[in-house]
């Protein structure tokens, strides 16, 4: 064996003694900080749902119900023209209903429905914000900045009044 690598003798090890590189070993990356340095990136940002995907899913649900009706009517042996009339009527009814009631029930959503979950979460936080009376322009942590400004102003005023007391 060269340069002290591997087994001194392959005898009894059940191997040929051939040494290979471990290709599954993950080398550490460059010295990257485990947390971001700027405080703005730490703030929580609500994920925005994609409106086109939401619209597509809504239309897809309508078409699934229409197809189920079409399949049922074809199994019953209904005339093709009658099937078209009934399916188009159902399609119009479902589309008008889905446009009216955009309320989502977050309990019925699956984990892969990311955009629907994001929309439901936005609606939930908006409802909670209104219930608690929180302003729309409220910024998280703004209380601390206001408190720091008040302390700074109080210290400035105290410094000015002490400066006047020494002159008199």
């Amino acid at each position: 064996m060269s340069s002290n690598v591997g087994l001194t003798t392959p005898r009894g090890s059940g191997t040929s003694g051939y040494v290979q590189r471990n290709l599954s070993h993950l080398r550490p990356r460059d010295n990257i900080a485990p947390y971001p340095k700027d405080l703005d990136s730490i703030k929580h940002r609500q994920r925005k749902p994609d409106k086109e995907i939401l619209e597509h899913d809504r239309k897809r649900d309508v078409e699934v119900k229409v197809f189920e009706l079409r399949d049922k009517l074809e199994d019953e042996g209904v005339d093709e023209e009658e099937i078209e009339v009934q399916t188009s009527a159902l399609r119009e009814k479902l589309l008008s209903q889905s446009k009216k009631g955009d309320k989502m029930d977050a309990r019925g959503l699956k984990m892969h429905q990311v955009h629907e979950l994001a929309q439901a979460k936005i609606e939930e936080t908006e409802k909670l914000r209104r219930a608690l009376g929180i302003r729309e322009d409220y910024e998280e942590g703004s209380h601390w900045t206001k408190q720091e400004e008040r302390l700074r102003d109080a210290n400035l005023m105290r410094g000015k009044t002490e400066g006047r007391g020494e002159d008199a």
Side-chain angles (χ1 to χ4, degrees):
M1 284 286 113
S2 64
S3 68
N4 256 354
V5 177
L7 304 171
T8 55
T9 174
R11 206 187 264 172
S13 68
T15 66
S16 67
Y18 182 73
V19 178
Q20 288 185 338
R21 197 172 104 213
N22 183 0
L23 297 176
S24 65
H25 175 69
L26 296 175
R27 293 188 192 113
R29 292 185 172 206
D30 296 336
N31 293 336
I32 298 174
Y35 51 87
K37 299 287 185 203
D38 58 335
L39 295 176
D40 291 335
S41 64
I42 295 174
K43 283 185 184 176
H44 173 71
R45 288 189 195 98
Q46 184 75 42
R47 183 179 182 148
K48 302 276 191 262
D50 189 352
K51 302 246 186 265
E52 291 177 2
I53 292 177
L54 292 173
E55 181 68 18
H56 172 79
D57 286 343
R58 187 177 61 80
K59 287 180 180 177
R60 185 178 183 279
D61 291 339
V62 167
E63 289 302 319
V64 165
K65 290 176 183 171
V66 167
F67 185 76
E68 287 172 354
L69 175 68
R70 173 179 285 280
D71 193 37
K72 183 182 126 195
L73 292 175
E74 285 175 354
D75 288 345
E76 293 174 358
V78 179
D79 186 32
E80 187 65 33
E81 291 176 14
E82 182 62 27
I83 291 174
E84 285 297 322
V85 169
Q86 288 186 17
T87 54
S88 62
L90 178 66
R91 182 178 294 118
E92 292 299 321
K93 177 183 156 197
L94 291 174
L95 284 174
S96 66
Q97 283 178 353
S98 66
K99 285 182 183 176
K100 284 183 202 171
D102 280 343
K103 295 286 183 185
M104 283 190 220
D105 183 21
R107 286 178 240 145
L109 297 175
K110 306 281 189 255
M111 287 304 295
H112 66 274
Q113 295 175 311
V114 178
H115 297 276
E116 289 87 349
L117 286 170
Q119 180 70 31
K121 184 66 175 177
I122 288 174
E123 290 172 2
E124 177 188 357
T125 54
E126 183 65 23
K127 184 178 176 183
L128 186 64
R129 185 191 60 76
R130 278 186 269 126
L132 296 175
I134 300 172
R135 295 187 322 265
E136 285 187 41
D137 61 341
Y138 176 76
E139 187 176 324
E140 188 175 331
S142 62
H143 169 74
W144 299 112
T145 56
K146 289 178 184 176
Q147 190 173 7
E148 288 171 0
E149 289 173 5
R150 285 188 207 121
L151 284 172
R152 189 172 43 242
D153 291 344
N155 288 337
L156 286 174
M157 293 300 281
R158 190 178 310 128
K160 287 181 183 179
T161 55
E162 288 175 3
R164 280 192 221 144
E166 292 173 4
D167 291 341

